[in-house]
Amino acid sequence: MTEIAKKVQIDDDHARIFLLAILLSGVVTMLNTSTVTISLPTYMSVFGVDINTVQWVVIGYMLPLGMVMPLSEYLCERYSYRKVFLTAMTALGLCSLGCALSVNFLMLVIFRFLKGIAGGIIIPSSMAMIYRYVPRKKQAEYLGTSMLFQSFGTALGPTISGLLLQVSSWHVLFLINLPMVLIVLWAARKSIPSESINMEVDKIDFWGCGQISLGSGLVMLAFSMGDTWGWRSITFWACVIIGFMLIVIFVMRQFHTSHPLLNFGVLKYKAFSFAMLLQCVIALTLGINAILSQFYFQTGLGLSPAATGLLLLCPSIMMLIGNATTNYLHRKGLMKSLITIGIICALVGNLGLCNLSLTSNLVFVMCCFGLRFFGISMAQMPLTNYGLSAVPRDLSGHASSMFNWGRQLVQTVSTNILTVLLSMNLTRYYLAAGNVGLPEEGTLGYREAAVEAVNTDYIYIAIFLVIALICTFFIRPAQQRSDR
């Protein structure tokens, strides 16, 4: 990047407005996911589609999200963070309006897909701008506050969605984004600095864009649709093999270009590589949680979706508390302790969920869920700051893109693998209990087998949390950057 770009920082007069733009952009992107999941039955009824088809409302957003994330920094370098962020946020607002005005299911999925493209640019660029424009001493504070607000969106999304569906129509779920989008656009235009464009990035590498986007998309699509296609089907394995081959080719090409789309040189910074590895492990344990919790409460205990949503609000609030606590303690230089204690809390809470039954004390179960979410939220912010603050400022965008891309890819693949194991173990426990034939939903045998399958998945997750805990003891202070 040019020397002019390297010296740009947010001045004190615009710092709060910049923070407002970052905070609300995080809330908007989280609401895009959390408000939709609980409304899937509504879309099935309105558009007359089955359970397999309606999943494309979620998949149609998550796929492009992971496909575009690796390209975020390249676009920002070529056109500037200000232009790219404003364009992506405008597109997200227009796509939200398009979703609300959809007259058929295909139109809804198309606008969700386009919204995912915008979100895949906004998420990594928002994080990168914190490490690019904010003075070093304030970066952790800005990141912590940003993650706190993202948790706020995640926590209240299902509750807001449920309440709006009770008193209004599904269209409102997409319209609630628009006021926040307008505020973000105003704040971003007012505070994000104008930079000199890097003229050396003079060509768009269409081959590279296609390789990483198509490769990531094929891998995530394969694991998202594996249960429908069949895990031994030619379609599934063709997507997996071709997808990974494209990603490998893309990575190899990046080492032979002077201006890579995604600079893998950031991996030479040990603190960043270590933090990314640990974040991917945490992402692996997070993705499946919504499925396991709803499977236990609804399939196992027979609770209604509304009751399940209210119960899950408790651990979400604990995540908010965990983020707020970490944001305060991190200022006191307790980075390593927060990461270690956070993962210990997550592990202890997770172990309590490894022996659930139909008669488990609900208060105890909620305490375990709450402790697990509290611990994960406690570890995430200092771990993210530990990794990204070790990377030079001019590479912060590449680091953020890789950080989010890796986490999204791992979360998508692991969620679907653990879902398959959940289904397989349900059948195994059902037959082991002396039942015959296929598991019959609604029967006592089915409910007991479902709970045992949930327990087994939490055991798998506990193994990865133990690995993460062991890794925390190897954390060393990151080398101070010299660009401040």
Side-chain angles (χ1 to χ4, degrees):
M1 297 294 293
T2 64
E3 289 299 317
I4 294 176
K6 287 184 178 182
K7 295 179 180 178
V8 174
Q9 286 189 5
I10 299 288
D11 57 47
D12 292 338
D13 293 335
H14 294 93
R16 290 185 178 181
I17 302 177
F18 174 76
L19 181 59
L20 176 64
I22 297 298
L23 296 183
L24 288 185
S25 68
V27 174
V28 169
T29 52
M30 289 300 104
L31 285 176
N32 281 331
T33 303
S34 59
T35 57
V36 168
T37 305
I38 198 171
S39 58
L40 292 182
T42 301
Y43 303 134
M44 292 173 63
S45 174
V46 170
F47 295 111
V49 295
D50 58 25
I51 185 64
N52 291 324
T53 304
V54 79
Q55 293 297 328
W56 278 98
V57 177
V58 178
I59 297 173
Y61 178 77
M62 301 304 291
L63 273 181
L65 199 70
M67 291 167 65
V68 176
M69 278 179 175
L71 307 178
S72 174
E73 172 59 12
Y74 179 82
L75 295 173
C76 290
E77 282 187 356
R78 181 176 171 83
Y79 300 108
S80 85
Y81 281 86
R82 178 184 173 87
K83 290 181 180 178
V84 170
F85 183 84
L86 288 171
T87 301
M89 186 57 66
T90 301
L92 189 144
L94 292 175
C95 290
S96 294
L97 182 61
C99 289
L101 298 176
S102 294
V103 295
N104 55 54
F105 188 73
L106 178 61
M107 184 177 174
L108 176 62
V109 172
I110 290 174
F111 277 111
R112 285 284 291 173
F113 188 91
L114 295 174
K115 187 190 283 191
I117 294 176
I121 295 173
I122 292 169
I123 293 172
S125 63
S126 299
M127 185 181 293
M129 285 192 290
I130 292 176
Y131 288 88
R132 185 177 184 83
Y133 299 136
V134 177
R136 183 180 180 85
K137 62 182 180 180
K138 295 183 178 180
Q139 288 172 357
E141 178 184 347
Y142 273 55
L143 179 66
T145 308
S146 174
M147 296 185 76
L148 175 63
F149 271 70
Q150 288 179 22
S151 298
F152 184 77
T154 303
L156 294 186
T159 304
I160 293 174
S161 178
L163 291 175
L164 289 176
L165 287 173
Q166 288 288 334
V167 300
S168 186
S169 69
W170 62 271
H171 303 82
V172 182
L173 299 182
F174 299 106
L175 295 176
I176 58 174
N177 274 338
L178 297 183
M180 287 186 287
V181 168
L182 292 175
I183 295 174
V184 172
L185 288 173
W186 170 81
R189 287 179 62 86
K190 192 129 179 109
S191 63
I192 298 177
S194 298
E195 293 187 79
S196 299
I197 298 174
N198 187 356
M199 300 306 296
E200 294 179 350
V201 186
D202 56 355
K203 292 182 180 180
I204 296 179
D205 183 1
F206 289 104
W207 283 108
C209 292
Q211 287 164 356
I212 189 61
S213 298
L214 184 59
S216 301
L218 285 174
V219 171
M220 290 190 292
L221 178 64
F223 283 94
S224 297
M225 300 298 295
D227 196 39
T228 302
W229 292 343
W231 299 100
R232 297 180 181 179
S233 67
I234 295 177
T235 305
F236 169 77
W237 284 107
C239 286
V240 171
I241 293 172
I242 295 173
F244 275 117
M245 285 178 61
L246 288 173
I247 292 174
V248 170
I249 294 171
F250 170 80
V251 173
M252 293 175 63
R253 288 184 73 243
Q254 300 315 293
F255 287 105
H256 297 87
T257 178
S258 57
H259 298 285
L261 285 172
L262 189 60
N263 195 332
F264 285 85
V266 296
L267 295 175
K268 72 180 182 181
Y269 299 93
K270 294 181 180 179
F272 171 77
S273 298
F274 194 81
M276 181 174 173
L277 176 63
L278 271 176
Q279 277 285 24
C280 286
V281 173
I282 292 175
L284 185 152
T285 68
L286 266 179
I288 190 65
N289 186 76
I291 295 174
L292 294 181
S293 57
Q294 292 182 22
F295 209 64
Y296 174 69
F297 289 123
Q298 294 184 43
T299 304
L301 301 186
L303 300 179
S304 67
T308 301
L310 289 174
L311 287 174
L312 293 180
L313 185 60
C314 176
S316 297
I317 292 174
M318 290 302 296
M319 179 174 275
L320 282 171
I321 296 173
N323 271 314
T325 303
T326 302
N327 200 19
Y328 172 75
L329 294 177
H330 191 270
R331 303 171 192 169
K332 301 183 179 296
L334 301 175
M335 180 267 298
K336 181 177 179 178
S337 299
L338 287 170
I339 297 172
T340 303
I341 294 172
I343 294 180
I344 289 174
C345 289
L347 177 59
V348 172
N350 193 92
L351 290 174
L353 300 173
C354 293
N355 193 32
L356 300 174
S357 70
L358 296 178
T359 58
S360 293
N361 186 293
L362 203 54
V363 174
F364 172 78
V365 174
M366 296 313 300
C367 287
C368 291
F369 270 112
L371 185 60
R372 184 174 184 271
F373 273 74
F374 178 85
I376 289 175
S377 63
M378 179 176 283
Q380 279 189 315
M381 189 282 277
L383 189 57
T384 302
N385 185 61
Y386 171 68
L388 294 183
S389 63
V391 177
R393 184 178 173 185
D394 58 323
L395 292 176
S396 60
H398 288 281
S400 177
S401 293
M402 188 172 296
F403 210 81
N404 286 280
W405 172 57
R407 186 166 55 187
Q408 185 70 29
L409 201 61
V410 168
Q411 185 165 315
T412 301
V413 172
S414 63
T415 297
N416 287 281
I417 290 176
L418 288 171
T419 302
V420 172
L421 292 173
L422 180 72
S423 178
M424 292 172 57
N425 285 324
L426 188 153
T427 302
R428 181 166 63 89
Y429 288 124
Y430 183 81
L431 297 176
N435 300 294
V436 294
L438 295 175
E440 186 178 347
E441 191 170 351
T443 64
L444 179 60
Y446 184 92
R447 292 168 57 202
E448 291 175 339
V451 173
E452 288 298 322
V454 169
N455 289 337
T456 304
D457 258 19
Y458 276 121
I459 291 173
Y460 299 148
I461 293 172
I463 294 172
F464 285 100
L465 286 173
V466 169
I467 294 173
L469 178 60
I470 294 172
C471 289
T472 62
F473 294 104
F474 296 94
I475 292 177
R476 296 290 181 269
Q479 184 177 358
Q480 295 292 307
R481 293 191 329 211
S482 59
D483 58 323
R484 289 290 185 214

